[in-house]
Every structure is written in structure tokens, then in C-alpha cells.
Amino acid sequence: MRIGAHVRDDDPLAAAAERGAEVVQFFLSDPQGWKTPKPHPQAEQLRDSDVEVFIHAPYVINVASLNNRIRIPSRKAVAQQATAAAAVGATGLIVHGGHVTKDDAPAEGVSNWRKLFERQAADGGFGVPILIENTAGGANAMARRFDALARLWDAVGEFGAGFCLDTCHAHAAGEELLNIVDRVKAITGRIDLVHLNDSRDEFGSSRDRHANIGAGNIDPDLLVAVCASAGAPVVVETPDEGQADDIAFLRGKVA
């Protein structure tokens, strides 16, 4: 099992070495902006490294949105991010499931996700697999509660969409972590990456605030169980100062 962390984007390989990480995740552009990613200065080193790479898409992307000013640039950004992720040898691009507004039908958001994959398939597909991540809040979110996730997967699963399971998001969404891997795989058939995060807030809070393992409201044994059973690379997105300890803790428990 490969375990690592979300790290700074300027020197991800040095950050991996500092943490004892076998996997890194980072942004290729401003996570709150729409700018096209620039070539990464360590692209060749990253491709040649033994460290596995994942890229996280900007938070502003919302493929599900019915607002043309959000959905259209979101589709463009996913394609651009996937191309840039391929250039650094990434295994996948993580994209949040997104949401529609309270006045919109969630089924239309699901349809927009399907259109993203249909259109890109007609152009030869994405540069790397797209890993849809479950989210913490929002009544009309595409991937918050697992009944909604099932509807989304019925629409996009045939296109090879991957799945990223975030433990803090699931906890905040009100999804129990006990046996969560089995429940997810019953829907998606796969887990491609785990974001292994404790939560600063209580179960069902809808609040996405990560904590280092043992410093939040999730039983560390449950986090270890998810890590051990998922059969996927693990990335901690916890506060920087505790990431090395988080990685060492998990490695010691699942070795």
C-alpha cells in the first residue's frame, strides 16, 4: 500500500521526502481560479520518480452546474487539467462531484456530468482518468450522500470514471465509515484513491475541516480500517505539521 500526502506544488518531490511519502497530490494551478495550468518545472523528474502522482483540480470547477458561466468553463478546465496532469505522469485527476442549486433538479446535474464524458469521449478521452470525489455538504450535491452517488454512477460509470473516497467528507455528510469501502464499491465497483482525513467537526455537520489523525472526531481505528480495506493509494490532506506522523501511523498499522 502506498501512502502519501497533499503537498505544496513548487517542489512536490522534496515535500515527499520530508514526509516519507510514496504518493503526492498537488495543484497545478490556483485552486480558486480558472487559469490554464502552466508546464510544471519538475515534470520530467516527476514522471521519472518512483513517487506516485495525483493532481487535484481547482475547487471552482462544478461540472454539474446548470449555470452556463460555471458549467462551460468547468468542462474546459477539467480537460486542461487532465492534459497537464498527464504531462507530470499523474495517475489521475481528482474532481469534486459538484452540485446544483436548491431550485434545480439534481437529475440535470447528473446529466451534465454524463455530457462531460460523452463530449470528451468523442474527442479521444481525457489525458488521465477522472476521479470523482465525494463531498461534505449541500442538499443537491452529486456525490455527498451515497444514494445520490449511485444515480451519478449510473450515468458516468460506463465511461471509466474513477472514484476518490474522502473520509472527512463522508463523516461530515453523515455517511458512516464502518464498512464504507464495501458500500462504495457496491455502487462504483472501485476506489482509485483514498483521502484519509480526520474531521474537526461532528458527524453529519456538513463542514469540511480536516484534522490530523487522532486530533479530530473520527475514531483512528475506523480510519485505519478504511485504509486497509480500500486497496488503493492513500493521501492525507491533513495540516502540514502533522503529515509525517499521520503517514507513519498509517504505515505502522497497515504494514
Side-chain angles (χ1 to χ4, degrees):
M1 179 179 298
R2 298 170 68 83
I3 302 172
H6 184 97
V7 299
R8 62 184 186 269
D9 59 7
D10 61 329
D11 196 348
L13 292 177
E18 291 167 3
R19 292 158 173 76
E22 300 161 321
V23 186
V24 290
Q25 174 185 284
F26 53 96
F27 294 107
L28 286 172
S29 60
D30 178 2
Q32 300 295 347
W34 295 100
K35 289 186 177 179
T36 303
K38 296 179 180 178
H40 196 281
Q42 290 187 341
E44 184 176 356
Q45 296 97 308
L46 286 162
R47 290 195 303 269
D48 293 341
S49 171
D50 291 334
V51 175
E52 188 170 10
V53 175
F54 288 89
I55 299 302
H56 201 302
Y59 299 128
V60 293
I61 290 174
N62 183 3
V63 171
S65 177
L66 274 61
N67 183 335
N68 288 345
R69 294 182 179 181
I70 297 173
R71 184 184 66 262
I72 293 173
S74 291
R75 287 175 177 167
K76 182 179 179 181
V78 171
Q80 291 173 337
Q81 292 282 331
T83 297
V88 297
T91 300
L93 174 71
I94 296 92
V95 182
H96 284 181
H99 60 277
V100 297
T101 70
K102 63 181 178 64
D103 297 321
D104 298 327
E108 294 187 70
V110 169
S111 176
N112 284 337
W113 262 107
R114 182 176 176 86
K115 288 175 183 176
L116 169 79
F117 283 104
E118 285 178 334
R119 292 178 182 212
Q120 198 65 31
D123 288 335
F126 290 104
V128 297
I130 304 302
L131 312 184
I132 301 173
E133 180 178 357
N134 61 306
T135 50
N140 283 343
M142 300 295 101
R144 177 194 179 193
R145 299 305 299 266
F146 288 177
D147 55 344
L149 180 64
R151 291 190 289 272
L152 176 60
W153 226 259
D154 284 344
V156 304
E158 68 187 84
F159 297 100
F163 186 71
C164 174
L165 171 63
D166 187 302
T167 54
C168 175
H169 294 178
H171 171 86
E175 292 286 351
E176 295 283 355
L177 293 187
L178 184 65
N179 299 322
I180 194 169
V181 168
D182 291 340
R183 288 187 286 122
V184 167
K185 287 187 176 180
I187 295 168
T188 66
R190 59 196 292 173
I191 293 176
D192 298 86
L193 179 67
V194 175
H195 284 170
L196 207 289
N197 304 307
D198 205 335
S199 173
R200 291 169 59 185
D201 298 291
E202 67 277 5
F203 182 78
S205 67
S206 298
R207 302 183 73 181
D208 179 15
R209 299 197 302 168
H210 300 181
N212 293 108
I213 297 172
N217 285 282
I218 302 177
D219 182 347
D221 288 339
L222 281 176
L223 295 175
V224 169
V226 171
C227 185
S229 61
V234 173
V235 164
V236 298
E237 299 177 310
T238 52
D240 286 356
E241 62 275 9
Q243 285 185 346
D245 289 340
D246 291 340
I247 291 169
F249 171 80
L250 291 171
R251 192 169 285 138
K253 291 288 188 179
V254 300

PDB file of all heavy atoms in Angstrom, residues 182-204:
ATOM      1  N   ASP A 182     -17.008  -1.241   1.412  1.00  0.00           N
ATOM      2  CA  ASP A 182     -17.927  -2.187   0.772  1.00  0.00           C
ATOM      3  C   ASP A 182     -19.117  -1.465   0.157  1.00  0.00           C
ATOM      4  O   ASP A 182     -19.574  -1.822  -0.944  1.00  0.00           O
ATOM      5  CB  ASP A 182     -18.419  -3.226   1.779  1.00  0.00           C
ATOM      6  CG  ASP A 182     -17.323  -4.182   2.230  1.00  0.00           C
ATOM      7  OD1 ASP A 182     -16.310  -4.307   1.516  1.00  0.00           O
ATOM      8  OD2 ASP A 182     -17.485  -4.793   3.304  1.00  0.00           O
ATOM      9  N   ARG A 183     -19.633  -0.461   0.845  1.00  0.00           N
ATOM     10  CA  ARG A 183     -20.796   0.266   0.340  1.00  0.00           C
ATOM     11  C   ARG A 183     -20.452   1.085  -0.901  1.00  0.00           C
ATOM     12  O   ARG A 183     -21.245   1.168  -1.841  1.00  0.00           O
ATOM     13  CB  ARG A 183     -21.374   1.159   1.438  1.00  0.00           C
ATOM     14  CG  ARG A 183     -22.082   0.344   2.534  1.00  0.00           C
ATOM     15  CD  ARG A 183     -22.808   1.230   3.526  1.00  0.00           C
ATOM     16  NE  ARG A 183     -21.882   1.900   4.431  1.00  0.00           N
ATOM     17  CZ  ARG A 183     -21.775   3.202   4.576  1.00  0.00           C
ATOM     18  NH1 ARG A 183     -22.528   4.019   3.844  1.00  0.00           N
ATOM     19  NH2 ARG A 183     -20.933   3.715   5.439  1.00  0.00           N
ATOM     20  N   VAL A 184     -19.269   1.687  -0.894  1.00  0.00           N
ATOM     21  CA  VAL A 184     -18.848   2.444  -2.070  1.00  0.00           C
ATOM     22  C   VAL A 184     -18.647   1.519  -3.258  1.00  0.00           C
ATOM     23  O   VAL A 184     -19.141   1.778  -4.367  1.00  0.00           O
ATOM     24  CB  VAL A 184     -17.551   3.231  -1.783  1.00  0.00           C
ATOM     25  CG1 VAL A 184     -16.948   3.758  -3.082  1.00  0.00           C
ATOM     26  CG2 VAL A 184     -17.828   4.386  -0.839  1.00  0.00           C
ATOM     27  N   LYS A 185     -17.942   0.420  -3.041  1.00  0.00           N
ATOM     28  CA  LYS A 185     -17.647  -0.483  -4.156  1.00  0.00           C
ATOM     29  C   LYS A 185     -18.905  -1.150  -4.697  1.00  0.00           C
ATOM     30  O   LYS A 185     -18.960  -1.514  -5.883  1.00  0.00           O
ATOM     31  CB  LYS A 185     -16.618  -1.525  -3.730  1.00  0.00           C
ATOM     32  CG  LYS A 185     -15.221  -0.940  -3.582  1.00  0.00           C
ATOM     33  CD  LYS A 185     -14.191  -2.018  -3.316  1.00  0.00           C
ATOM     34  CE  LYS A 185     -12.781  -1.445  -3.277  1.00  0.00           C
ATOM     35  NZ  LYS A 185     -11.751  -2.479  -3.028  1.00  0.00           N
ATOM     36  N   ALA A 186     -19.939  -1.291  -3.859  1.00  0.00           N
ATOM     37  CA  ALA A 186     -21.210  -1.823  -4.348  1.00  0.00           C
ATOM     38  C   ALA A 186     -21.853  -0.863  -5.348  1.00  0.00           C
ATOM     39  O   ALA A 186     -22.635  -1.284  -6.214  1.00  0.00           O
ATOM     40  CB  ALA A 186     -22.159  -2.076  -3.184  1.00  0.00           C
ATOM     41  N   ILE A 187     -21.498   0.430  -5.250  1.00  0.00           N
ATOM     42  CA  ILE A 187     -22.036   1.444  -6.161  1.00  0.00           C
ATOM     43  C   ILE A 187     -21.129   1.647  -7.365  1.00  0.00           C
ATOM     44  O   ILE A 187     -21.569   1.604  -8.519  1.00  0.00           O
ATOM     45  CB  ILE A 187     -22.220   2.788  -5.420  1.00  0.00           C
ATOM     46  CG1 ILE A 187     -23.281   2.658  -4.327  1.00  0.00           C
ATOM     47  CG2 ILE A 187     -22.589   3.906  -6.400  1.00  0.00           C
ATOM     48  CD1 ILE A 187     -23.325   3.843  -3.370  1.00  0.00           C
ATOM     49  N   THR A 188     -19.846   1.870  -7.096  1.00  0.00           N
ATOM     50  CA  THR A 188     -18.915   2.272  -8.148  1.00  0.00           C
ATOM     51  C   THR A 188     -18.112   1.112  -8.724  1.00  0.00           C
ATOM     52  O   THR A 188     -17.570   1.218  -9.828  1.00  0.00           O
ATOM     53  CB  THR A 188     -17.917   3.310  -7.612  1.00  0.00           C
ATOM     54  OG1 THR A 188     -17.088   2.681  -6.621  1.00  0.00           O
ATOM     55  CG2 THR A 188     -18.636   4.498  -6.993  1.00  0.00           C
ATOM     56  N   GLY A 189     -17.994   0.043  -7.947  1.00  0.00           N
ATOM     57  CA  GLY A 189     -17.152  -1.074  -8.355  1.00  0.00           C
ATOM     58  C   GLY A 189     -15.675  -0.820  -8.160  1.00  0.00           C
ATOM     59  O   GLY A 189     -14.841  -1.682  -8.470  1.00  0.00           O
ATOM     60  N   ARG A 190     -15.313   0.349  -7.593  1.00  0.00           N
ATOM     61  CA  ARG A 190     -13.900   0.703  -7.498  1.00  0.00           C
ATOM     62  C   ARG A 190     -13.669   1.835  -6.503  1.00  0.00           C
ATOM     63  O   ARG A 190     -14.563   2.649  -6.246  1.00  0.00           O
ATOM     64  CB  ARG A 190     -13.390   1.152  -8.869  1.00  0.00           C
ATOM     65  CG  ARG A 190     -14.167   2.363  -9.395  1.00  0.00           C
ATOM     66  CD  ARG A 190     -13.949   2.585 -10.870  1.00  0.00           C
ATOM     67  NE  ARG A 190     -12.589   3.005 -11.162  1.00  0.00           N
ATOM     68  CZ  ARG A 190     -12.110   3.141 -12.399  1.00  0.00           C
ATOM     69  NH1 ARG A 190     -12.876   2.863 -13.454  1.00  0.00           N
ATOM     70  NH2 ARG A 190     -10.860   3.535 -12.607  1.00  0.00           N
ATOM     71  N   ILE A 191     -12.480   1.870  -5.952  1.00  0.00           N
ATOM     72  CA  ILE A 191     -11.950   3.033  -5.258  1.00  0.00           C
ATOM     73  C   ILE A 191     -10.530   3.207  -5.778  1.00  0.00           C
ATOM     74  O   ILE A 191      -9.702   2.316  -5.664  1.00  0.00           O
ATOM     75  CB  ILE A 191     -11.952   2.867  -3.722  1.00  0.00           C
ATOM     76  CG1 ILE A 191     -13.390   2.813  -3.196  1.00  0.00           C
ATOM     77  CG2 ILE A 191     -11.195   4.023  -3.053  1.00  0.00           C
ATOM     78  CD1 ILE A 191     -13.491   2.559  -1.703  1.00  0.00           C
ATOM     79  N   ASP A 192     -10.247   4.349  -6.381  1.00  0.00           N
ATOM     80  CA  ASP A 192      -8.955   4.587  -7.014  1.00  0.00           C
ATOM     81  C   ASP A 192      -7.990   5.334  -6.100  1.00  0.00           C
ATOM     82  O   ASP A 192      -6.775   5.274  -6.309  1.00  0.00           O
ATOM     83  CB  ASP A 192      -9.153   5.386  -8.297  1.00  0.00           C
ATOM     84  CG  ASP A 192      -9.999   4.624  -9.303  1.00  0.00           C
ATOM     85  OD1 ASP A 192     -11.239   4.719  -9.216  1.00  0.00           O
ATOM     86  OD2 ASP A 192      -9.429   3.929 -10.154  1.00  0.00           O
ATOM     87  N   LEU A 193      -8.512   6.059  -5.124  1.00  0.00           N
ATOM     88  CA  LEU A 193      -7.697   6.844  -4.209  1.00  0.00           C
ATOM     89  C   LEU A 193      -8.500   7.097  -2.943  1.00  0.00           C
ATOM     90  O   LEU A 193      -9.726   7.261  -3.005  1.00  0.00           O
ATOM     91  CB  LEU A 193      -7.305   8.182  -4.850  1.00  0.00           C
ATOM     92  CG  LEU A 193      -6.459   9.143  -4.013  1.00  0.00           C
ATOM     93  CD1 LEU A 193      -5.064   8.576  -3.757  1.00  0.00           C
ATOM     94  CD2 LEU A 193      -6.364  10.507  -4.693  1.00  0.00           C
ATOM     95  N   VAL A 194      -7.806   7.119  -1.801  1.00  0.00           N
ATOM     96  CA  VAL A 194      -8.440   7.477  -0.532  1.00  0.00           C
ATOM     97  C   VAL A 194      -7.813   8.765  -0.015  1.00  0.00           C
ATOM     98  O   VAL A 194      -6.583   8.868   0.076  1.00  0.00           O
ATOM     99  CB  VAL A 194      -8.274   6.368   0.525  1.00  0.00           C
ATOM    100  CG1 VAL A 194      -8.843   6.825   1.876  1.00  0.00           C
ATOM    101  CG2 VAL A 194      -8.961   5.088   0.066  1.00  0.00           C
ATOM    102  N   HIS A 195      -8.643   9.751   0.289  1.00  0.00           N
ATOM    103  CA  HIS A 195      -8.215  10.923   1.044  1.00  0.00           C
ATOM    104  C   HIS A 195      -8.496  10.597   2.510  1.00  0.00           C
ATOM    105  O   HIS A 195      -9.651  10.596   2.941  1.00  0.00           O
ATOM    106  CB  HIS A 195      -8.990  12.170   0.618  1.00  0.00           C
ATOM    107  CG  HIS A 195      -8.547  12.730  -0.697  1.00  0.00           C
ATOM    108  ND1 HIS A 195      -9.242  13.717  -1.360  1.00  0.00           N
ATOM    109  CD2 HIS A 195      -7.457  12.462  -1.467  1.00  0.00           C
ATOM    110  CE1 HIS A 195      -8.602  14.019  -2.485  1.00  0.00           C
ATOM    111  NE2 HIS A 195      -7.521  13.267  -2.558  1.00  0.00           N
ATOM    112  N   LEU A 196      -7.442  10.286   3.249  1.00  0.00           N
ATOM    113  CA  LEU A 196      -7.577   9.753   4.603  1.00  0.00           C
ATOM    114  C   LEU A 196      -7.417  10.912   5.578  1.00  0.00           C
ATOM    115  O   LEU A 196      -6.299  11.294   5.950  1.00  0.00           O
ATOM    116  CB  LEU A 196      -6.527   8.663   4.824  1.00  0.00           C
ATOM    117  CG  LEU A 196      -6.784   7.541   5.842  1.00  0.00           C
ATOM    118  CD1 LEU A 196      -6.708   8.069   7.262  1.00  0.00           C
ATOM    119  CD2 LEU A 196      -8.126   6.867   5.609  1.00  0.00           C
ATOM    120  N   ASN A 197      -8.530  11.505   5.990  1.00  0.00           N
ATOM    121  CA  ASN A 197      -8.528  12.697   6.831  1.00  0.00           C
ATOM    122  C   ASN A 197      -9.418  12.522   8.043  1.00  0.00           C
ATOM    123  O   ASN A 197     -10.519  11.977   7.944  1.00  0.00           O
ATOM    124  CB  ASN A 197      -9.047  13.904   6.032  1.00  0.00           C
ATOM    125  CG  ASN A 197      -8.265  14.140   4.751  1.00  0.00           C
ATOM    126  OD1 ASN A 197      -7.048  14.235   4.791  1.00  0.00           O
ATOM    127  ND2 ASN A 197      -8.967  14.230   3.632  1.00  0.00           N
ATOM    128  N   ASP A 198      -8.939  12.989   9.193  1.00  0.00           N
ATOM    129  CA  ASP A 198      -9.793  13.130  10.374  1.00  0.00           C
ATOM    130  C   ASP A 198     -10.632  14.393  10.189  1.00  0.00           C
ATOM    131  O   ASP A 198     -10.395  15.185   9.265  1.00  0.00           O
ATOM    132  CB  ASP A 198      -8.926  13.208  11.637  1.00  0.00           C
ATOM    133  CG  ASP A 198      -9.655  12.754  12.893  1.00  0.00           C
ATOM    134  OD1 ASP A 198     -10.908  12.817  12.925  1.00  0.00           O
ATOM    135  OD2 ASP A 198      -8.974  12.346  13.852  1.00  0.00           O
ATOM    136  N   SER A 199     -11.622  14.590  11.052  1.00  0.00           N
ATOM    137  CA  SER A 199     -12.534  15.730  10.924  1.00  0.00           C
ATOM    138  C   SER A 199     -12.561  16.559  12.202  1.00  0.00           C
ATOM    139  O   SER A 199     -12.687  16.010  13.299  1.00  0.00           O
ATOM    140  CB  SER A 199     -13.949  15.239  10.621  1.00  0.00           C
ATOM    141  OG  SER A 199     -14.881  16.306  10.660  1.00  0.00           O
ATOM    142  N   ARG A 200     -12.459  17.852  12.057  1.00  0.00           N
ATOM    143  CA  ARG A 200     -12.543  18.748  13.217  1.00  0.00           C
ATOM    144  C   ARG A 200     -13.976  18.857  13.737  1.00  0.00           C
ATOM    145  O   ARG A 200     -14.194  19.326  14.859  1.00  0.00           O
ATOM    146  CB  ARG A 200     -12.029  20.138  12.841  1.00  0.00           C
ATOM    147  CG  ARG A 200     -10.527  20.190  12.578  1.00  0.00           C
ATOM    148  CD  ARG A 200     -10.098  21.510  11.958  1.00  0.00           C
ATOM    149  NE  ARG A 200     -10.432  22.656  12.802  1.00  0.00           N
ATOM    150  CZ  ARG A 200     -10.239  23.919  12.442  1.00  0.00           C
ATOM    151  NH1 ARG A 200      -9.750  24.191  11.240  1.00  0.00           N
ATOM    152  NH2 ARG A 200     -10.561  24.903  13.256  1.00  0.00           N
ATOM    153  N   ASP A 201     -14.944  18.444  12.927  1.00  0.00           N
ATOM    154  CA  ASP A 201     -16.348  18.638  13.276  1.00  0.00           C
ATOM    155  C   ASP A 201     -17.069  17.306  13.450  1.00  0.00           C
ATOM    156  O   ASP A 201     -16.561  16.251  13.103  1.00  0.00           O
ATOM    157  CB  ASP A 201     -17.026  19.483  12.206  1.00  0.00           C
ATOM    158  CG  ASP A 201     -16.412  20.864  12.104  1.00  0.00           C
ATOM    159  OD1 ASP A 201     -16.575  21.656  13.046  1.00  0.00           O
ATOM    160  OD2 ASP A 201     -15.729  21.135  11.094  1.00  0.00           O
ATOM    161  N   GLU A 202     -18.257  17.389  14.000  1.00  0.00           N
ATOM    162  CA  GLU A 202     -19.009  16.196  14.365  1.00  0.00           C
ATOM    163  C   GLU A 202     -19.643  15.538  13.145  1.00  0.00           C
ATOM    164  O   GLU A 202     -19.753  16.125  12.072  1.00  0.00           O
ATOM    165  CB  GLU A 202     -20.084  16.547  15.399  1.00  0.00           C
ATOM    166  CG  GLU A 202     -21.198  17.449  14.904  1.00  0.00           C
ATOM    167  CD  GLU A 202     -20.864  18.932  14.923  1.00  0.00           C
ATOM    168  OE1 GLU A 202     -19.712  19.298  15.242  1.00  0.00           O
ATOM    169  OE2 GLU A 202     -21.770  19.728  14.585  1.00  0.00           O
ATOM    170  N   PHE A 203     -20.073  14.315  13.352  1.00  0.00           N
ATOM    171  CA  PHE A 203     -20.731  13.523  12.315  1.00  0.00           C
ATOM    172  C   PHE A 203     -21.960  14.257  11.785  1.00  0.00           C
ATOM    173  O   PHE A 203     -22.787  14.769  12.539  1.00  0.00           O
ATOM    174  CB  PHE A 203     -21.145  12.174  12.908  1.00  0.00           C
ATOM    175  CG  PHE A 203     -21.791  11.229  11.934  1.00  0.00           C
ATOM    176  CD1 PHE A 203     -21.029  10.513  11.035  1.00  0.00           C
ATOM    177  CD2 PHE A 203     -23.162  11.039  11.940  1.00  0.00           C
ATOM    178  CE1 PHE A 203     -21.610   9.625  10.136  1.00  0.00           C
ATOM    179  CE2 PHE A 203     -23.754  10.158  11.056  1.00  0.00           C
ATOM    180  CZ  PHE A 203     -22.979   9.447  10.146  1.00  0.00           C
ATOM    181  N   GLY A 204     -22.082  14.312  10.452  1.00  0.00           N
ATOM    182  CA  GLY A 204     -23.245  14.941   9.832  1.00  0.00           C
ATOM    183  C   GLY A 204     -23.244  16.452   9.854  1.00  0.00           C
ATOM    184  O   GLY A 204     -24.263  17.071   9.555  1.00  0.00           O
TER     185      GLY A 204
END
